[in-house]
Amino acid sequence: MSNGQGSYNFKVVLLGEGCVGKTSLVLRYVEDKFNDKHITTLQASFLNKKLNINGKRVNLSIWDTAGQERFHALGPIYYRMSNGAILVYDITDEDTFKKVKNWVKELKKMLGSEVCLTIAGNKEDLSKDRNVSIEEAQRYADSVGAKHFLTSAKLNQGIEEMFVELSHRMMERHAEVELAQAQSTLGRAGSMRRNVMVVEDDMMVPPDNSVKGACCGGYRVASS
Amino acid sequence: MFTKKSPALRIDEADLKCKSRSGCDFFGNPEWDGYCSHCYRKERERQQNDQKKSPNRGDSGSRTSADSPLSLAVAKRFNKFEEKKQQQRQQQEKRNKFSKLASSLRKSTSIRDTGRLPEPWLEQSPEVERIKQDYATHLASLSPELRQLINKYIQGLCRSVCSDANNISADELSEKVQKFYQILSKCMDAHNINQELKESVLDYCEKFTMTVLHRNLFCPPTTTDEEKDLAIQKRIRQLNWVNAKHLDCRINETSEEVRDLVYTSITDLLGMDSEKAPQDKLQAVVKCCRNIFLLLQSSVGGPASADEFLPALIFIVLKANPARLKSNINFVTRFCNASRLMTGEGGYYFTNLCCAVSFIENMTAQSLNLPELEFEQYMSGEVVPTSTWDSALMMYEGISLMYEHIAALDDMHKRADSVLEGTQLLQNTMKKFVFEMKLNVEDILARTQITLNSSEKVPTDIDTENPLSELLPPPITPQVIAGGSQKLTSFLASEKEALNLPGITKYAFPSDSELDALGTDSTPGDGVLPLPISDSQEFLLTPSSTYGFSSLDELATPDELCAAQASLNFVQGLSAVNYDIDISDTCSDSSAGLSPHPSFVSMPEQKENSSCIPQETGPASLLDTSESPTSKLLLPSPMKPVIPGPGGDSGEGSSPPVVSLTTAHSHSEEESELKTVDPTVGVSSLTSNSEYQGFTAQGWKIQSIPCDTGPSDLNSNKKSKGDPAN
């Protein structure tokens, strides 16, 4: 989101199963601390990070999401209208990588190509227990148009680069969208309209989302 | 009337009668619609009732139709809410009509007065005025044109929303509002307003319009928000058995701090409904979520992540069961500035709230990790989970109360201790103070000794000066001894006094006989008291024995005792006699009787006496002196018996005790010489004692003489003269 005067507001969601280190990652990035008692922030679920990229002010709103399986269905509510998504997996746990694949599919369906995807293989410090090969992860990332990073919150590896790179891409994407909107005057209204409608949508069922459908079905049964 | 009808002369009487079908016989009146006054009134009442009823009927009909599908689902508790809602809607409708009218009227004039909003709804709510005031400074910093423009936009939105609220769908309304925000934003960008001011102005516009249009936009009649509210409410109530464990959320239900925070966040969440502007609603959610993070912090131990936060929020929503939850959420999603909703902290928390609501709506046995059957049982209320939040709270409440009381008691205990300590301290300081004061006083005394000494001297001087006060140190010591112990003797003495001479004589007599008093002394004594001798012997025994005690016990100075014991028996006897007499004197308040005697005896000696017998005699002498004048006169008689005793004593060497007062005076010089010896005698030496006693006896005799014996006087005189020779 640009709000004029060359500054950007980007919403970035952190997706990934529980215990892959989403929170550590973001805390390391924002507070530069790991498992520290002196972390000043009260919570690690919503954090702002201000960057200056190419002379432009960029404000990243990083949204953490609940990774438990039971909350999986709530994903769309979290990542709607997000500019970027970081999909985190644990390199020692192959299941978490499978989860990432699911998330990517969902995001693609819901947000199309508007969202910039980054796949982060966390816990690089435990590389001796690696269960997800770098090559495989890289190949998959390329196939879905995402960037792949190996990070370690503990050792503070690859995190800064990952966020900066994502910011760059989001700015590019934003510029493209602006251009597209400039070309068609309706574009802006359409996008705005879309934004509004997304809000509405969250309570409606995306027909292709089976999990979501099941939820709402459950609700109807319960309410009837 | 009559004139009216008059042209038709063929009027039937029936035509003039009251029209009412009841057939009353009164005449009707055209002014009363042809009724008689009575029936007309009835008719009017009936019509009025009908008029009243008819609109009511229409309303209630519509209401019931609206209620009917809901009322089934709604619990009692929400009937009120439902009613309120309905009223609101009616008011809204009225207002809409009114505003439409107003706006149509205004169309002609609005072009002129764009500067101000004359909308009738504005005056109604003070909160709108408050918002205006809150943002007055921000608005003032805008250029007048821009301000006008903004006002125009606001006006336009209000008008169009008011006119269309009931006709177009909520989505369209939402689009309208969002467009409005965008236009405003663009407009301000065009005017190069700085970011901060733009934010606050946008904030103002949003708040203002949404507050003004709240009635129109909140839960618009075209939506089914209301039903959704009730559905979620019912759902949450069904799920009231869900506790923190089911949700895997780490809320420490038994910690007081956490419990308080839970309540606070619940209150915050409930507060959302009372706010009107979407950003205020968002703020309420933010407050609630911050409190949740606070309470999570204590149980998680660090900054909580979304993994912990979402379950906790779900838990809070379940426990809060906020009113009109869905309506509020929809209102915010529709009419809150989309950019705000999508980025800021408020947006994040709001999104989480949506997630929580969605989760609650779709909650299944699976999502709680419960077996299907158990979940169904819980939902249908067949089984109630044992460890519910409520029971935990109830238990905890009691325990916490107990702990509070214990803490209070501890506190009181501590305070009591501190008070005790304080008193101890105070006591110590007081003691110290007293001690120091003593030291100081002593110090001062030491420094100013002279004055004190002089003061001490003063009494002694007085004594010495006072001839009467001259203490008979020697006689007094014995007195003290006797006085303390010999009550019997004193009684006896007093009895004797009562009996007067005979008793005394008896007493005195035996002493004489015992001591082998000189014939001269005894003979007169015998002569005086022949009869009572037999009795006197008895008396003799008692007094002597008593005396024995007294002398041993009460002679303060051991020297005296030793001396006395060592001395001849008869001497003891003599002393005893004397003492007894003395005691009787003291008992009869005449101890002073002795004192005058020495004083008479020797003025100059006093100093010597005092020096010699300082301890015992000092005080005694003082007493004596004070009493002496009276006692002298009063107690001559008791002394009389002594006379023979001393006479006996004196019999040994110097036994001329019987001396008249006059003689005493005359002999004063001689006696004074003797007296010098006296003190020493009284204290230690036998010989001197005997001598002295003789003198004392003389002294008494001097007093007693006048009453007693003429012949003895002669003897005493002779003997007194003999004494000095000794």
Side-chain angles (χ1 to χ4, degrees):
Chain A
M1 296 283 112
S2 158
N3 44 18
Q5 302 187 356
S7 67
Y8 296 86
N9 270 321
F10 289 128
K11 170 181 166 184
V12 178
V13 284
L14 279 172
L15 296 169
E17 211 178 343
C19 304
V20 297
K22 298 191 296 289
T23 311
S24 304
L25 210 64
V26 73
L27 277 176
R28 169 60 89 178
Y29 181 53
V30 176
E31 295 252 332
D32 198 18
K33 278 170 186 160
F34 179 79
N35 275 352
D36 200 323
K37 296 267 179 196
H38 305 291
I39 291 170
T40 53
T41 178
L42 188 60
Q43 41 88 12
S45 54
F46 175 82
L47 293 163
N48 277 309
K49 177 77 177 179
K50 286 185 165 59
L51 296 173
N52 195 332
I53 295 174
N54 299 336
K56 306 233 175 184
R57 277 186 293 164
V58 176
N59 185 33
L60 295 180
S61 301
I62 304 164
W63 290 28
D64 192 10
T65 60
Q68 294 97 316
E69 178 58 36
R70 62 167 78 173
F71 299 125
H72 184 89
L74 305 172
I77 304 174
Y78 277 116
Y79 56 67
R80 71 183 178 210
M81 280 189 74
S82 56
N83 306 90
I86 296 173
L87 302 123
V88 188
Y89 70 93
D90 181 351
I91 60 161
T92 65
D93 187 347
E94 204 178 347
D95 278 349
T96 60
F97 187 64
K98 281 179 189 162
K99 265 276 151 49
V100 165
K101 288 179 177 177
N102 286 340
W103 282 113
V104 171
K105 272 182 210 161
E106 248 186 76
L107 282 166
K108 287 280 177 190
K109 274 179 199 159
M110 299 295 291
L111 301 175
S113 59
E114 267 182 51
V115 66
C116 303
L117 299 180
T118 294
I119 297 171
N122 197 26
K123 306 195 184 176
E124 183 61 18
D125 49 298
L126 301 173
S127 57
K128 62 180 191 311
D129 298 326
R130 180 187 303 278
N131 279 320
V132 182
S133 79
I134 302 171
E135 295 76 25
E136 188 198 342
Q138 188 63 51
R139 215 180 309 124
Y140 175 75
D142 290 342
S143 71
V144 295
K147 293 279 177 186
H148 181 255
F149 285 88
L150 288 173
T151 60
S152 167
K154 192 175 178 181
L155 306 174
N156 197 7
Q157 279 178 4
I159 296 170
E160 186 86 28
E161 299 93 302
M162 179 178 73
F163 277 98
V164 171
E165 195 277 336
L166 180 64
S167 305
H168 275 290
R169 268 192 295 152
M170 286 191 291
M171 283 167 73
E172 284 168 26
R173 190 68 52 91
H174 183 73
E176 286 169 24
V177 173
E178 292 262 285
L179 195 67
Q181 281 181 353
Q183 279 167 356
S184 65
T185 45
L186 288 175
R188 187 166 187 102
S191 104
M192 194 59 227
R193 159 103 184 122
R194 201 195 153 281
N195 287 352
V196 174
M197 289 318 290
V198 167
V199 174
E200 288 301 308
D201 276 348
D202 69 308
M203 297 309 163
M204 298 177 181
V205 193
D208 49 351
N209 187 340
S210 60
V211 186
K212 185 81 174 147
C215 292
C216 282
Y219 157 61
R220 287 200 183 104
V221 169
S223 61
S224 61
Chain B
M1 47 178 174
F2 196 69
T3 51
K4 256 190 192 172
K5 306 252 171 176
S6 61
L9 286 171
R10 285 164 292 172
I11 316 165
D12 206 353
E13 196 188 340
D15 289 334
L16 296 172
K17 292 270 183 180
C18 172
K19 255 172 39 179
S20 78
R21 261 166 271 149
S22 56
C24 78
D25 279 341
F26 293 107
F27 284 105
N29 189 319
E31 276 187 8
W32 296 332
D33 299 327
Y35 289 104
C36 68
S37 62
H38 186 70
C39 294
Y40 179 65
R41 197 187 298 150
K42 274 187 187 168
E43 186 66 13
R44 276 252 326 247
E45 276 172 8
R46 196 173 59 79
Q47 278 176 358
Q48 276 174 351
N49 282 344
D50 283 0
Q51 273 170 7
K52 264 188 216 159
K53 273 177 200 165
S54 57
N56 271 7
R57 223 177 277 147
D59 266 13
S60 61
S62 69
R63 191 184 293 169
T64 45
S65 65
D67 282 351
S68 56
L70 305 172
S71 55
L72 293 173
V74 183
K76 247 190 233 164
R77 160 178 170 204
F78 295 104
N79 286 344
K80 270 187 191 167
F81 156 73
E82 192 51 36
E83 254 175 48
K84 209 175 167 185
K85 205 65 225 169
Q86 206 68 38
Q87 282 172 359
Q88 265 183 14
R89 196 181 291 171
Q90 282 171 14
Q91 283 176 349
Q92 211 168 286
E93 279 165 15
K94 274 183 211 160
R95 198 160 294 125
N96 288 348
K97 277 179 209 158
F98 184 52
S99 62
K100 264 185 215 167
L101 197 88
S103 62
S104 64
L105 283 174
R106 210 179 304 116
K107 261 170 195 167
S108 55
T109 58
S110 59
I111 303 152
R112 271 184 288 146
D113 54 8
T114 43
R116 216 179 122 56
L117 287 172
E119 259 83 321
W121 58 78
L122 295 192
E123 281 84 31
Q124 287 178 356
S125 65
E127 48 186 334
V128 173
E129 291 301 319
R130 215 185 54 232
I131 293 168
K132 272 185 176 176
Q133 281 172 9
D134 288 349
Y135 288 91
T137 52
H138 298 293
L139 290 176
S141 58
L142 295 174
S143 69
E145 309 140 32
L146 185 59
R147 208 162 41 211
Q148 241 176 21
L149 197 65
I150 289 169
N151 275 343
K152 209 174 96 186
Y153 283 132
I154 292 173
Q155 230 176 345
L157 179 77
C158 292
R159 203 171 303 136
S160 74
V161 166
C162 287
S163 59
D164 298 340
N166 297 324
N167 309 326
I168 62 174
S169 73
D171 294 344
E172 285 169 309
L173 277 173
S174 158
E175 202 174 326
K176 223 179 229 184
V177 172
Q178 295 296 341
K179 226 178 206 165
F180 163 74
Y181 293 142
Q182 279 206 301
I183 291 167
L184 276 176
S185 173
K186 261 194 207 167
C187 159
M188 268 181 285
D189 281 344
H191 280 75
N192 284 326
I193 305 295
N194 74 47
Q195 197 66 31
E196 225 170 277
L197 186 59
K198 181 189 158 187
E199 287 294 322
S200 62
V201 170
L202 277 178
D203 215 38
Y204 159 74
C205 295
E206 188 178 343
K207 214 174 210 174
F208 181 84
T209 50
M210 285 307 116
T211 311
V212 167
L213 299 170
H214 185 263
R215 290 176 191 282
N216 306 55
L217 296 180
F218 188 83
C219 188
T222 53
T223 63
T224 54
D225 289 356
E226 223 172 285
E227 282 126 86
K228 284 182 191 162
D229 285 341
L230 299 171
I232 187 83
Q233 205 120 38
K234 189 188 167 197
R235 173 81 179 167
I236 290 173
R237 243 174 295 138
Q238 269 186 328
L239 288 168
N240 70 342
W241 50 269
V242 175
N243 61 30
K245 264 184 205 132
H246 291 126
L247 294 167
D248 270 342
C249 87
R250 297 202 250 166
I251 288 181
N252 186 4
E253 295 184 26
T254 50
S255 151
E256 189 186 6
E257 194 188 348
V258 167
R259 190 192 51 161
D260 284 349
L261 281 169
V262 165
Y263 283 135
T264 323
S265 45
I266 286 174
T267 316
D268 291 335
L269 191 59
L270 292 175
M272 183 174 75
D273 186 51
S274 58
E275 301 291 351
K276 279 191 172 171
Q279 61 255 64
D280 290 340
K281 286 183 192 291
L282 271 187
Q283 208 50 48
V285 175
V286 170
K287 252 173 85 183
C288 163
C289 291
R290 283 194 180 143
N291 280 321
I292 291 172
F293 276 116
L294 264 180
L295 72 88
L296 281 176
Q297 198 175 32
S298 62
S299 47
V300 173
S305 70
D307 288 353
E308 288 105 27
F309 169 65
L310 188 59
L313 180 63
I314 292 168
F315 176 76
I316 295 294
V317 172
L318 279 176
K319 293 307 159 196
N321 198 359
R324 304 197 284 181
L325 182 58
K326 271 298 219 192
S327 294
N328 277 303
I329 287 175
N330 286 339
F331 179 73
V332 173
T333 49
R334 282 175 195 143
F335 303 114
C336 187
N337 196 334
S339 63
R340 184 204 309 282
L341 200 56
M342 285 307 109
T343 49
E345 197 183 11
Y348 177 73
Y349 292 141
F350 184 73
T351 305
N352 271 293
L353 180 63
C354 294
C355 287
V357 171
S358 171
F359 182 82
I360 289 167
E361 283 173 331
N362 305 317
M363 196 183 279
T364 59
Q366 206 188 346
S367 56
L368 291 180
N369 293 329
L370 286 174
E372 200 74 42
L373 183 67
E374 199 181 340
F375 182 79
E376 287 305 320
Q377 281 178 332
Y378 286 151
M379 287 301 279
S380 58
E382 279 175 38
V383 182
V384 178
T386 45
S387 64
T388 62
W389 168 253
D390 293 324
S391 64
L393 273 190
M394 249 158 66
M395 283 232 327
Y396 179 69
E397 211 125 338
I399 290 168
S400 69
L401 200 69
M402 195 181 79
Y403 277 120
E404 264 172 44
H405 289 174
I406 288 171
L409 282 176
D410 278 351
D411 187 45
M412 276 154 76
H413 197 70
K414 273 179 199 163
R415 282 192 207 179
D417 281 353
S418 73
V419 167
L420 276 179
E421 257 174 52
T423 49
Q424 202 72 41
L425 207 71
L426 184 66
Q427 211 170 17
N428 286 343
T429 49
M430 279 167 72
K431 273 180 188 166
K432 209 174 158 191
F433 177 74
V434 169
F435 182 69
E436 280 171 1
M437 275 308 268
K438 263 184 190 165
L439 279 183
N440 280 344
V441 168
E442 277 170 21
D443 192 38
I444 292 165
L445 285 183
R447 266 185 280 155
T448 56
Q449 214 168 6
I450 306 152
T451 54
L452 279 175
N453 285 344
S454 68
S455 72
E456 275 176 7
K457 281 175 182 174
V458 170
T460 51
D461 289 345
I462 290 165
D463 290 344
T464 50
E465 284 168 8
N466 189 353
L468 300 179
S469 72
E470 193 15 71
L471 1 154
L472 13 154
I476 281 160
T477 30
Q479 274 181 8
V480 175
I481 299 150
S485 69
Q486 296 184 336
K487 285 178 182 177
L488 248 179
T489 51
S490 70
F491 276 110
L492 291 171
S494 63
E495 281 177 22
K496 287 167 194 169
E497 281 179 21
L499 294 168
N500 289 333
L501 298 174
I504 297 159
T505 49
K506 290 170 195 170
Y507 193 165
F509 179 75
S511 68
D512 288 351
S513 61
E514 254 190 32
L515 296 169
D516 295 335
L518 290 175
T520 53
D521 283 341
S522 63
T523 44
D526 290 341
V528 175
L529 309 166
L531 290 174
I533 290 171
S534 58
D535 292 335
S536 71
Q537 283 173 346
E538 289 176 13
F539 279 108
L540 177 80
L541 291 173
T542 48
S544 65
S545 64
T546 51
Y547 171 70
F549 285 127
S550 70
S551 66
L552 286 171
D553 292 339
E554 304 207 298
L555 278 175
T557 51
D559 293 350
E560 278 187 339
L561 280 176
C562 296
Q565 286 180 344
S567 67
L568 297 170
N569 290 333
F570 68 86
V571 174
Q572 280 187 342
L574 286 174
S575 64
V577 172
N578 287 336
Y579 292 139
D580 290 347
I581 293 157
D582 292 343
I583 294 148
S584 68
D585 289 346
T586 53
C587 289
S588 60
D589 207 24
S590 64
S591 63
L594 297 172
S595 64
H597 161 68
S599 69
F600 281 106
V601 173
S602 62
M603 286 281 291
E605 287 170 9
Q606 280 175 358
K607 285 166 191 174
E608 291 175 11
N609 289 340
S610 64
S611 64
C612 290
I613 316 157
Q615 298 165 341
E616 293 180 353
T617 52
S621 67
L622 284 172
L623 288 170
D624 294 345
T625 52
S626 63
E627 292 171 357
S628 58
T630 51
S631 59
K632 267 194 221 163
L633 298 173
L634 293 172
L635 308 167
S637 57
M639 299 189 146
K640 293 167 196 167
V642 182
I643 301 160
D649 295 339
S650 61
E652 180 195 329
S654 60
S655 60
V658 190
V659 180
S660 68
L661 277 173
T662 52
T663 53
H665 286 291
S666 64
H667 290 295
S668 64
E669 286 179 3
E670 296 173 0
E671 282 172 6
S672 69
E673 290 173 0
L674 293 171
K675 259 286 155 118
T676 52
V677 185
D678 279 350
T680 53
V681 171
V683 178
S684 54
S685 75
L686 277 174
T687 52
S688 63
N689 192 7
S690 63
E691 286 172 0
Y692 163 69
Q693 282 177 349
F695 284 111
T696 56
Q698 279 182 350
W700 291 327
K701 284 164 194 168
I702 291 161
Q703 292 176 343
S704 61
I705 288 160
C707 310
D708 236 352
T709 53
S712 64
D713 285 350
L714 294 170
N715 293 332
S716 66
N717 284 338
K718 288 168 188 173
K719 273 160 191 177
S720 67
K721 282 169 189 174
D723 281 337
N726 289 341

